[in-house]
């Protein structure tokens, strides 16, 4: 939305959304400046060898966040939860859920990283925790295939939300826990703690924001996506590939964490 749209023949609601977006951007910048940048020195002090801990690349971080916060988790639930709503209502719900999710991600990353830093959690322990979490997340869809068919049908049944207001629906269950999943939020906190603003944390948050933008895009286009031939099998295959990467990266993080903890104890 351009600021210029608030002039001329635009509606007050559009101007209000534009103002809200600008306010959220300013608030996010202020919160980012409060992040624990001093943790970068603790990372270098605790790590062996060349004075740097193992940091995941931006592509690896994108893979983590895409699987845990990304559109593969959003398309089906959003379509089911907004069934019966008009196209305009769906767009408003999607935008509200996106804005709520952005605020939650920034707040959780900064506050969570500050808390972990204050508690003195070692880098090795953080890597180990992140690796275990990645491994378990990657196993979830594999283990789900062994659930009884009756349980799968019960868990996939759409929730009746026709009586909820647009804001209530956007807040829960769309923003939480569909867009911002508990394990995705925990992983974001770990990533930002390992790489605060002084050592790449800004790009971690930017990557999380980009993934949420992808979520917004699929929510706005969910009706068209459902009409694409073979879209569901293609998304399932993509999810399988991402989960294989998560297993490998999770095990590597566990090995790095164990090695770092062992080097500190001996």
């Amino acid at each position: 939305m351009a600021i210029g749209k608030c002039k001329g023949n635009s509606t007050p609601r559009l101007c209000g959304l534009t103002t809200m977006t600008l306010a959220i951007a300013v608030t996010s910048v202020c919160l980012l400046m409060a992040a624990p940048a001093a943790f970068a020195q603790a990372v270098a002090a605790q790590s062996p060898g060349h004075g740097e801990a193992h940091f995941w690349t931006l592509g690896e971080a994108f893979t983590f966040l895409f699987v845990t916060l990304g559109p593969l988790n959003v398309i089906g639930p959003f379509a089911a939860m907004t069934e019966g709503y008009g196209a305009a209502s769906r767009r408003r719900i999607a935008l509200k859920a996106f804005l709520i999710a952005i605020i939650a991600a920034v707040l959780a990353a900064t506050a969570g990283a500050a808390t972990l830093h204050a508690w003195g959690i070692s880098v090795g322990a953080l890597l180990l925790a992140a690796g275990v979490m990645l491994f378990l997340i990657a196993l979830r869809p594999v283990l789900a295939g062994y659930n009884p068919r009756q349980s799968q049908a019960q868990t996939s049944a759409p929730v009746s939300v026709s009586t909820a207001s647009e804001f209530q629906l956007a807040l829960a269950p769309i923003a939480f826990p569909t867009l911002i999943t508990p394990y995705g939020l925990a992983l974001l906190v770990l990533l930002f703690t390992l790489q605060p603003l002084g050592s790449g944390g800004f790009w971690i948050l930017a990557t999380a924001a980009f993934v949420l933008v992808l979520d917004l895009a699929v929510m706005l286009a969910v009706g068209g996506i459902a009409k694409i031939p073979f879209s569901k099998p293609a998304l399932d295959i993509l999810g399988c590939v991402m989960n294989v990467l998560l297993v490998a990266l999770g095990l590597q993080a566990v090995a790095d964490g164990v090695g770092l903890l062992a080097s500190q104890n001996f």
Side-chain angles (χ1 to χ4, degrees):
M1 296 180 192
I3 299 177
K5 288 186 178 181
C6 284
K7 300 178 180 179
N9 56 2
S10 63
T11 64
R13 179 172 295 177
L14 181 60
C15 294
L17 289 175
T18 303
T19 304
M20 183 186 300
T21 304
L22 291 175
I24 290 170
V26 173
T27 304
S28 300
V29 172
C30 294
L31 289 171
L32 291 176
M33 296 305 295
F39 189 73
Q41 298 178 357
V43 168
Q46 295 184 48
S47 49
H50 301 290
E52 287 187 2
H54 171 76
F55 283 159
W56 290 297
T57 66
L58 199 59
E60 290 170 339
F62 173 77
T63 301
F64 303 158
L65 297 173
F66 184 86
V67 173
T68 57
L69 301 176
L72 296 179
N73 306 320
V74 174
I75 298 175
F78 181 79
M81 288 183 285
T82 58
E83 186 177 2
Y85 287 85
S89 294
R90 278 189 170 188
R91 287 193 295 269
R92 289 193 298 268
I93 292 170
L95 181 58
K96 290 174 183 177
F98 168 75
L99 295 176
I100 293 170
I102 285 287
I103 295 174
V106 173
L107 282 173
T110 53
T115 302
L116 288 175
H117 172 55
W119 286 356
I121 306 297
S122 68
V123 176
L126 289 173
L127 284 172
L128 187 58
V132 171
M133 186 177 299
L134 288 171
F135 183 73
L136 293 177
I137 291 170
L139 284 182
R140 286 177 68 252
V142 177
L143 297 178
Y146 293 93
N147 291 336
R149 293 190 177 184
Q150 184 178 1
S151 298
Q152 289 182 1
Q154 290 175 352
T155 56
S156 61
V159 179
S160 177
V161 291
S162 58
T163 59
S165 67
E166 290 183 1
F167 179 78
Q168 290 173 332
L169 182 58
L171 178 62
I174 295 181
F176 306 99
T178 304
L179 294 181
I180 301 294
T181 60
Y183 46 85
L185 198 57
L187 185 59
L188 176 60
V189 171
L190 287 173
L191 286 171
F192 189 65
T193 305
L194 286 168
Q195 294 187 251
L197 285 182
S199 58
F202 174 81
W203 294 110
I204 294 295
L205 292 181
T207 302
F210 177 69
V211 172
L212 291 175
V213 169
L214 294 179
D215 291 346
L216 175 61
V218 299
M219 286 189 293
L220 294 176
V222 68
I225 293 175
K227 298 177 182 178
I228 299 176
F230 308 110
S231 59
K232 189 178 186 305
L235 292 173
D236 290 340
I237 292 173
L238 177 60
C240 290
V241 173
M242 291 295 207
N243 285 321
V244 170
L245 293 176
L246 276 190
V247 170
L249 293 171
L251 291 177
Q252 182 62 55
V254 169
D256 291 339
V258 170
L260 189 54
L261 289 173
S263 68
Q264 293 170 355
N265 294 328
F266 295 99

